mmCIF file of all heavy atoms in Angstrom:
data_model
loop_
_atom_site.group_PDB
_atom_site.id
_atom_site.type_symbol
_atom_site.label_atom_id
_atom_site.label_comp_id
_atom_site.label_asym_id
_atom_site.label_seq_id
_atom_site.Cartn_x
_atom_site.Cartn_y
_atom_site.Cartn_z
ATOM 1 N N PRO A 1178 -131.437 44.276 112.501
ATOM 2 C CA PRO A 1178 -132.380 43.211 112.862
ATOM 3 C C PRO A 1178 -133.497 43.792 113.730
ATOM 4 O O PRO A 1178 -133.241 44.702 114.542
ATOM 5 C CB PRO A 1178 -131.521 42.221 113.638
ATOM 6 C CG PRO A 1178 -130.331 43.000 114.094
ATOM 7 C CD PRO A 1178 -130.097 44.063 113.054
ATOM 8 N N PRO A 1179 -134.724 43.324 113.580
ATOM 9 C CA PRO A 1179 -135.856 43.882 114.332
ATOM 10 C C PRO A 1179 -135.626 43.907 115.851
ATOM 11 O O PRO A 1179 -136.024 44.847 116.541
ATOM 12 C CB PRO A 1179 -137.027 42.985 113.962
ATOM 13 C CG PRO A 1179 -136.658 42.435 112.617
ATOM 14 C CD PRO A 1179 -135.186 42.291 112.647
ATOM 15 N N GLU A 1180 -134.956 42.869 116.368
ATOM 16 C CA GLU A 1180 -134.746 42.798 117.828
ATOM 17 C C GLU A 1180 -133.778 43.868 118.316
ATOM 18 O O GLU A 1180 -133.714 44.157 119.513
ATOM 19 C CB GLU A 1180 -134.241 41.422 118.234
ATOM 20 C CG GLU A 1180 -132.891 41.009 117.656
ATOM 21 C CD GLU A 1180 -132.994 40.357 116.283
ATOM 22 O OE1 GLU A 1180 -134.082 40.424 115.672
ATOM 23 O OE2 GLU A 1180 -131.975 39.783 115.837
ATOM 24 N N ALA A 1181 -133.001 44.461 117.393
ATOM 25 C CA ALA A 1181 -132.058 45.520 117.793
ATOM 26 C C ALA A 1181 -132.744 46.870 117.939
ATOM 27 O O ALA A 1181 -132.193 47.796 118.499
ATOM 28 C CB ALA A 1181 -130.936 45.619 116.780
ATOM 29 N N VAL A 1182 -133.968 46.989 117.385
ATOM 30 C CA VAL A 1182 -134.701 48.242 117.456
ATOM 31 C C VAL A 1182 -135.578 48.228 118.703
ATOM 32 O O VAL A 1182 -136.691 47.714 118.690
ATOM 33 C CB VAL A 1182 -135.561 48.477 116.185
ATOM 34 C CG1 VAL A 1182 -136.282 49.828 116.264
ATOM 35 C CG2 VAL A 1182 -134.702 48.388 114.943
ATOM 36 N N LYS A 1183 -135.054 48.776 119.791
ATOM 37 C CA LYS A 1183 -135.769 48.785 121.070
ATOM 38 C C LYS A 1183 -136.465 50.097 121.357
ATOM 39 O O LYS A 1183 -136.781 50.407 122.479
ATOM 40 C CB LYS A 1183 -134.784 48.447 122.190
ATOM 41 C CG LYS A 1183 -134.165 47.063 122.066
ATOM 42 C CD LYS A 1183 -133.259 46.754 123.247
ATOM 43 C CE LYS A 1183 -132.685 45.353 123.140
ATOM 44 N NZ LYS A 1183 -131.808 45.019 124.297
ATOM 45 N N GLY A 1184 -136.661 50.873 120.301
ATOM 46 C CA GLY A 1184 -137.276 52.181 120.424
ATOM 47 C C GLY A 1184 -136.538 53.167 119.555
ATOM 48 O O GLY A 1184 -135.585 52.816 118.843
ATOM 49 N N PHE A 1185 -136.967 54.412 119.603
ATOM 50 C CA PHE A 1185 -136.346 55.427 118.744
ATOM 51 C C PHE A 1185 -134.934 55.769 119.215
ATOM 52 O O PHE A 1185 -134.135 56.241 118.404
ATOM 53 C CB PHE A 1185 -137.241 56.661 118.686
ATOM 54 C CG PHE A 1185 -138.457 56.447 117.846
ATOM 55 C CD1 PHE A 1185 -139.678 56.144 118.411
ATOM 56 C CD2 PHE A 1185 -138.381 56.521 116.464
ATOM 57 C CE1 PHE A 1185 -140.794 55.929 117.644
ATOM 58 C CE2 PHE A 1185 -139.509 56.319 115.671
ATOM 59 C CZ PHE A 1185 -140.717 56.004 116.263
ATOM 60 N N ALA A 1186 -134.626 55.529 120.469
ATOM 61 C CA ALA A 1186 -133.260 55.770 120.922
ATOM 62 C C ALA A 1186 -132.281 54.860 120.203
ATOM 63 O O ALA A 1186 -131.140 55.237 119.957
ATOM 64 C CB ALA A 1186 -133.169 55.543 122.435
ATOM 65 N N SER A 1187 -132.725 53.662 119.821
ATOM 66 C CA SER A 1187 -131.858 52.731 119.099
ATOM 67 C C SER A 1187 -131.497 53.232 117.706
ATOM 68 O O SER A 1187 -130.566 52.744 117.082
ATOM 69 C CB SER A 1187 -132.523 51.356 118.973
ATOM 70 O OG SER A 1187 -132.835 50.819 120.247
ATOM 71 N N LEU A 1188 -132.276 54.196 117.205
ATOM 72 C CA LEU A 1188 -132.033 54.743 115.863
ATOM 73 C C LEU A 1188 -131.355 56.103 115.924
ATOM 74 O O LEU A 1188 -131.144 56.731 114.879
ATOM 75 C CB LEU A 1188 -133.374 54.869 115.116
ATOM 76 C CG LEU A 1188 -134.204 53.593 115.010
ATOM 77 C CD1 LEU A 1188 -135.534 53.876 114.325
ATOM 78 C CD2 LEU A 1188 -133.443 52.508 114.247
ATOM 79 N N ALA A 1189 -131.010 56.563 117.113
ATOM 80 C CA ALA A 1189 -130.375 57.866 117.259
ATOM 81 C C ALA A 1189 -128.954 57.835 116.728
ATOM 82 O O ALA A 1189 -128.282 56.800 116.749
ATOM 83 C CB ALA A 1189 -130.357 58.280 118.729
ATOM 84 N N ILE A 1190 -128.500 58.973 116.185
ATOM 85 C CA ILE A 1190 -127.116 59.099 115.735
ATOM 86 C C ILE A 1190 -126.373 59.781 116.884
ATOM 87 O O ILE A 1190 -126.072 60.981 116.849
ATOM 88 C CB ILE A 1190 -127.002 59.910 114.434
ATOM 89 C CG1 ILE A 1190 -127.970 59.353 113.386
ATOM 90 C CG2 ILE A 1190 -125.576 59.877 113.910
ATOM 91 C CD1 ILE A 1190 -127.730 57.909 112.997
ATOM 92 N N GLY A 1191 -126.101 59.008 117.900
ATOM 93 C CA GLY A 1191 -125.494 59.560 119.107
ATOM 94 C C GLY A 1191 -125.410 58.486 120.187
ATOM 95 O O GLY A 1191 -125.704 57.308 119.938
ATOM 96 N N PRO A 1192 -125.023 58.865 121.386
ATOM 97 C CA PRO A 1192 -124.804 57.877 122.447
ATOM 98 C C PRO A 1192 -126.052 57.122 122.859
ATOM 99 O O PRO A 1192 -125.950 56.013 123.402
ATOM 100 C CB PRO A 1192 -124.263 58.717 123.610
ATOM 101 C CG PRO A 1192 -124.666 60.119 123.304
ATOM 102 C CD PRO A 1192 -124.686 60.230 121.825
ATOM 103 N N ALA A 1193 -127.250 57.659 122.621
ATOM 104 C CA ALA A 1193 -128.464 56.968 123.043
ATOM 105 C C ALA A 1193 -128.632 55.620 122.385
ATOM 106 O O ALA A 1193 -129.214 54.711 122.956
ATOM 107 C CB ALA A 1193 -129.690 57.858 122.744
ATOM 108 N N ARG A 1194 -128.086 55.442 121.158
ATOM 109 C CA ARG A 1194 -128.271 54.195 120.452
ATOM 110 C C ARG A 1194 -127.500 53.042 121.138
ATOM 111 O O ARG A 1194 -127.783 51.862 120.879
ATOM 112 C CB ARG A 1194 -127.851 54.315 118.990
ATOM 113 C CG ARG A 1194 -126.376 54.406 118.739
ATOM 114 C CD ARG A 1194 -126.061 54.581 117.258
ATOM 115 N NE ARG A 1194 -126.453 53.439 116.449
ATOM 116 C CZ ARG A 1194 -127.352 53.466 115.485
ATOM 117 N NH1 ARG A 1194 -127.951 54.609 115.185
ATOM 118 N NH2 ARG A 1194 -127.651 52.391 114.822
ATOM 119 N N PHE A 1195 -126.555 53.368 121.980
ATOM 120 C CA PHE A 1195 -125.756 52.335 122.657
ATOM 121 C C PHE A 1195 -126.316 51.980 124.045
ATOM 122 O O PHE A 1195 -125.740 51.154 124.745
ATOM 123 C CB PHE A 1195 -124.306 52.797 122.780
ATOM 124 C CG PHE A 1195 -123.675 53.145 121.470
ATOM 125 C CD1 PHE A 1195 -123.418 54.468 121.143
ATOM 126 C CD2 PHE A 1195 -123.381 52.160 120.545
ATOM 127 C CE1 PHE A 1195 -122.834 54.786 119.920
ATOM 128 C CE2 PHE A 1195 -122.802 52.467 119.314
ATOM 129 C CZ PHE A 1195 -122.537 53.788 119.007
ATOM 130 N N LEU A 1196 -127.412 52.614 124.419
ATOM 131 C CA LEU A 1196 -128.028 52.360 125.706
ATOM 132 C C LEU A 1196 -129.278 51.502 125.546
ATOM 133 O O LEU A 1196 -129.982 51.625 124.536
ATOM 134 C CB LEU A 1196 -128.393 53.664 126.419
ATOM 135 C CG LEU A 1196 -127.239 54.646 126.697
ATOM 136 C CD1 LEU A 1196 -127.774 55.945 127.278
ATOM 137 C CD2 LEU A 1196 -126.201 54.012 127.609
ATOM 138 N N ASP A 1197 -129.537 50.660 126.522
ATOM 139 C CA ASP A 1197 -130.755 49.839 126.514
ATOM 140 C C ASP A 1197 -131.846 50.622 127.252
ATOM 141 O O ASP A 1197 -131.734 50.827 128.477
ATOM 142 C CB ASP A 1197 -130.497 48.499 127.198
ATOM 143 C CG ASP A 1197 -131.679 47.560 127.053
ATOM 144 O OD1 ASP A 1197 -132.804 48.024 126.849
ATOM 145 O OD2 ASP A 1197 -131.463 46.333 127.196
ATOM 146 N N PRO A 1198 -132.896 51.068 126.575
ATOM 147 C CA PRO A 1198 -133.923 51.853 127.253
ATOM 148 C C PRO A 1198 -134.691 51.076 128.320
ATOM 149 O O PRO A 1198 -135.354 51.678 129.166
ATOM 150 C CB PRO A 1198 -134.848 52.273 126.104
ATOM 151 C CG PRO A 1198 -134.601 51.300 125.021
ATOM 152 C CD PRO A 1198 -133.165 50.905 125.136
ATOM 153 N N ASP A 1199 -134.598 49.743 128.272
ATOM 154 C CA ASP A 1199 -135.292 48.932 129.278
ATOM 155 C C ASP A 1199 -134.530 48.849 130.593
ATOM 156 O O ASP A 1199 -135.118 48.577 131.642
ATOM 157 C CB ASP A 1199 -135.538 47.530 128.735
ATOM 158 C CG ASP A 1199 -136.512 47.507 127.584
ATOM 159 O OD1 ASP A 1199 -137.508 48.262 127.621
ATOM 160 O OD2 ASP A 1199 -136.276 46.748 126.620
ATOM 161 N N THR A 1200 -133.211 49.066 130.533
ATOM 162 C CA THR A 1200 -132.403 48.926 131.755
ATOM 163 C C THR A 1200 -131.705 50.233 132.161
ATOM 164 O O THR A 1200 -131.334 50.391 133.322
ATOM 165 C CB THR A 1200 -131.346 47.842 131.552
ATOM 166 O OG1 THR A 1200 -130.511 48.168 130.423
ATOM 167 C CG2 THR A 1200 -131.999 46.472 131.302
ATOM 168 N N SER A 1201 -131.525 51.145 131.234
ATOM 169 C CA SER A 1201 -130.850 52.407 131.564
ATOM 170 C C SER A 1201 -131.805 53.352 132.290
ATOM 171 O O SER A 1201 -133.010 53.311 132.081
ATOM 172 C CB SER A 1201 -130.323 53.071 130.294
ATOM 173 O OG SER A 1201 -129.420 52.243 129.597
ATOM 174 N N SER A 1202 -131.235 54.204 133.108
ATOM 175 C CA SER A 1202 -132.062 55.178 133.819
ATOM 176 C C SER A 1202 -132.660 56.183 132.848
ATOM 177 O O SER A 1202 -132.063 56.501 131.799
ATOM 178 C CB SER A 1202 -131.235 55.909 134.874
ATOM 179 O OG SER A 1202 -130.345 56.837 134.270
ATOM 180 N N LYS A 1203 -133.820 56.688 133.188
ATOM 181 C CA LYS A 1203 -134.488 57.660 132.311
ATOM 182 C C LYS A 1203 -133.658 58.932 132.201
ATOM 183 O O LYS A 1203 -133.654 59.595 131.138
ATOM 184 C CB LYS A 1203 -135.880 57.967 132.838
ATOM 185 C CG LYS A 1203 -136.847 56.811 132.724
ATOM 186 C CD LYS A 1203 -138.237 57.201 133.219
ATOM 187 C CE LYS A 1203 -139.206 56.039 133.068
ATOM 188 N NZ LYS A 1203 -140.566 56.392 133.552
ATOM 189 N N LEU A 1204 -132.998 59.307 133.279
ATOM 190 C CA LEU A 1204 -132.188 60.503 133.257
ATOM 191 C C LEU A 1204 -131.028 60.350 132.273
ATOM 192 O O LEU A 1204 -130.732 61.253 131.487
ATOM 193 C CB LEU A 1204 -131.652 60.828 134.650
ATOM 194 C CG LEU A 1204 -130.770 62.075 134.774
ATOM 195 C CD1 LEU A 1204 -131.514 63.295 134.293
ATOM 196 C CD2 LEU A 1204 -130.298 62.248 136.197
ATOM 197 N N LEU A 1205 -130.372 59.181 132.303
ATOM 198 C CA LEU A 1205 -129.270 58.931 131.377
ATOM 199 C C LEU A 1205 -129.773 58.927 129.950
ATOM 200 O O LEU A 1205 -129.108 59.473 129.043
ATOM 201 C CB LEU A 1205 -128.607 57.601 131.728
ATOM 202 C CG LEU A 1205 -127.420 57.181 130.837
ATOM 203 C CD1 LEU A 1205 -126.316 58.225 130.915
ATOM 204 C CD2 LEU A 1205 -126.906 55.807 131.264
ATOM 205 N N MET A 1206 -130.911 58.329 129.707
ATOM 206 C CA MET A 1206 -131.493 58.284 128.374
ATOM 207 C C MET A 1206 -131.817 59.701 127.895
ATOM 208 O O MET A 1206 -131.601 60.038 126.715
ATOM 209 C CB MET A 1206 -132.752 57.426 128.348
ATOM 210 C CG MET A 1206 -132.514 55.947 128.528
ATOM 211 S SD MET A 1206 -131.475 55.208 127.251
ATOM 212 C CE MET A 1206 -132.421 55.576 125.760
ATOM 213 N N LEU A 1207 -132.310 60.529 128.792
ATOM 214 C CA LEU A 1207 -132.652 61.902 128.433
ATOM 215 C C LEU A 1207 -131.414 62.680 127.978
ATOM 216 O O LEU A 1207 -131.416 63.330 126.933
ATOM 217 C CB LEU A 1207 -133.298 62.606 129.631
ATOM 218 C CG LEU A 1207 -133.563 64.102 129.504
ATOM 219 C CD1 LEU A 1207 -134.565 64.371 128.404
ATOM 220 C CD2 LEU A 1207 -134.059 64.669 130.826
ATOM 221 N N VAL A 1208 -130.339 62.582 128.768
ATOM 222 C CA VAL A 1208 -129.097 63.284 128.420
ATOM 223 C C VAL A 1208 -128.530 62.762 127.112
ATOM 224 O O VAL A 1208 -128.112 63.536 126.233
ATOM 225 C CB VAL A 1208 -128.060 63.154 129.562
ATOM 226 C CG1 VAL A 1208 -126.720 63.759 129.139
ATOM 227 C CG2 VAL A 1208 -128.593 63.823 130.823
ATOM 228 N N ALA A 1209 -128.525 61.430 126.961
ATOM 229 C CA ALA A 1209 -127.957 60.840 125.743
ATOM 230 C C ALA A 1209 -128.752 61.242 124.512
ATOM 231 O O ALA A 1209 -128.185 61.465 123.440
ATOM 232 C CB ALA A 1209 -127.929 59.321 125.886
ATOM 233 N N THR A 1210 -130.064 61.338 124.647
ATOM 234 C CA THR A 1210 -130.907 61.748 123.523
ATOM 235 C C THR A 1210 -130.609 63.164 123.090
ATOM 236 O O THR A 1210 -130.601 63.470 121.890
ATOM 237 C CB THR A 1210 -132.396 61.591 123.903
ATOM 238 O OG1 THR A 1210 -132.686 60.240 124.240
ATOM 239 C CG2 THR A 1210 -133.294 62.020 122.747
ATOM 240 N N ARG A 1211 -130.322 64.052 124.030
ATOM 241 C CA ARG A 1211 -130.032 65.435 123.693
ATOM 242 C C ARG A 1211 -128.668 65.583 123.021
ATOM 243 O O ARG A 1211 -128.350 66.630 122.473
ATOM 244 C CB ARG A 1211 -130.086 66.331 124.951
ATOM 245 C CG ARG A 1211 -131.454 66.462 125.575
ATOM 246 C CD ARG A 1211 -132.436 67.062 124.606
ATOM 247 N NE ARG A 1211 -132.085 68.424 124.211
ATOM 248 C CZ ARG A 1211 -132.577 69.040 123.137
ATOM 249 N NH1 ARG A 1211 -133.390 68.403 122.324
ATOM 250 N NH2 ARG A 1211 -132.216 70.297 122.858
ATOM 251 N N LEU A 1212 -127.855 64.542 123.093
ATOM 252 C CA LEU A 1212 -126.532 64.560 122.453
ATOM 253 C C LEU A 1212 -126.554 63.947 121.054
ATOM 254 O O LEU A 1212 -125.511 63.615 120.484
ATOM 255 C CB LEU A 1212 -125.520 63.830 123.324
ATOM 256 C CG LEU A 1212 -125.208 64.499 124.679
ATOM 257 C CD1 LEU A 1212 -124.299 63.610 125.505
ATOM 258 C CD2 LEU A 1212 -124.594 65.878 124.483
ATOM 259 N N ASP A 1213 -127.740 63.797 120.495
ATOM 260 C CA ASP A 1213 -127.879 63.308 119.130
ATOM 261 C C ASP A 1213 -127.175 64.254 118.150
ATOM 262 O O ASP A 1213 -127.173 65.480 118.344
ATOM 263 C CB ASP A 1213 -129.374 63.221 118.784
ATOM 264 C CG ASP A 1213 -129.604 62.769 117.347
ATOM 265 O OD1 ASP A 1213 -129.506 61.570 117.095
ATOM 266 O OD2 ASP A 1213 -129.863 63.636 116.498
ATOM 267 N N LEU A 1214 -126.570 63.699 117.111
ATOM 268 C CA LEU A 1214 -125.798 64.485 116.146
ATOM 269 C C LEU A 1214 -126.614 65.633 115.575
ATOM 270 O O LEU A 1214 -126.115 66.771 115.488
ATOM 271 C CB LEU A 1214 -125.325 63.572 115.005
ATOM 272 C CG LEU A 1214 -124.709 64.293 113.796
ATOM 273 C CD1 LEU A 1214 -123.442 65.018 114.184
ATOM 274 C CD2 LEU A 1214 -124.464 63.297 112.661
ATOM 275 N N PHE A 1215 -127.848 65.375 115.180
ATOM 276 C CA PHE A 1215 -128.635 66.409 114.505
ATOM 277 C C PHE A 1215 -129.151 67.470 115.494
ATOM 278 O O PHE A 1215 -129.365 68.614 115.096
ATOM 279 C CB PHE A 1215 -129.775 65.766 113.713
ATOM 280 C CG PHE A 1215 -129.247 64.936 112.576
ATOM 281 C CD1 PHE A 1215 -129.125 63.556 112.708
ATOM 282 C CD2 PHE A 1215 -128.841 65.543 111.396
ATOM 283 C CE1 PHE A 1215 -128.612 62.807 111.653
ATOM 284 C CE2 PHE A 1215 -128.321 64.783 110.364
ATOM 285 C CZ PHE A 1215 -128.211 63.415 110.494
ATOM 286 N N THR A 1216 -129.326 67.104 116.740
ATOM 287 C CA THR A 1216 -129.656 68.099 117.746
ATOM 288 C C THR A 1216 -128.480 69.026 117.988
ATOM 289 O O THR A 1216 -128.629 70.247 118.056
ATOM 290 C CB THR A 1216 -130.061 67.414 119.066
ATOM 291 O OG1 THR A 1216 -131.194 66.583 118.826
ATOM 292 C CG2 THR A 1216 -130.415 68.429 120.138
#
């Protein structure tokens, strides 16, 4: 659903997709993004 796409982190194949980029810390988002499956 469009409302579930809150940015590219929501489309990550990794822990970043389970975080809300509007409320999660930037540091946590950074670490979670680097744990993407393809990375």
Side-chain angles (χ1 to χ4, degrees):
E1180 63 273 12
V1182 182
K1183 297 183 177 181
F1185 286 98
S1187 302
L1188 304 176
I1190 309 299
R1194 73 182 295 118
F1195 303 108
L1196 300 176
D1197 187 337
D1199 293 321
T1200 58
S1201 300
S1202 73
K1203 291 182 179 180
L1204 180 58
L1205 179 60
M1206 292 298 302
L1207 173 64
V1208 174
T1210 300
R1211 294 300 297 162
L1212 294 174
D1213 177 79
L1214 170 64
F1215 294 98
T1216 300

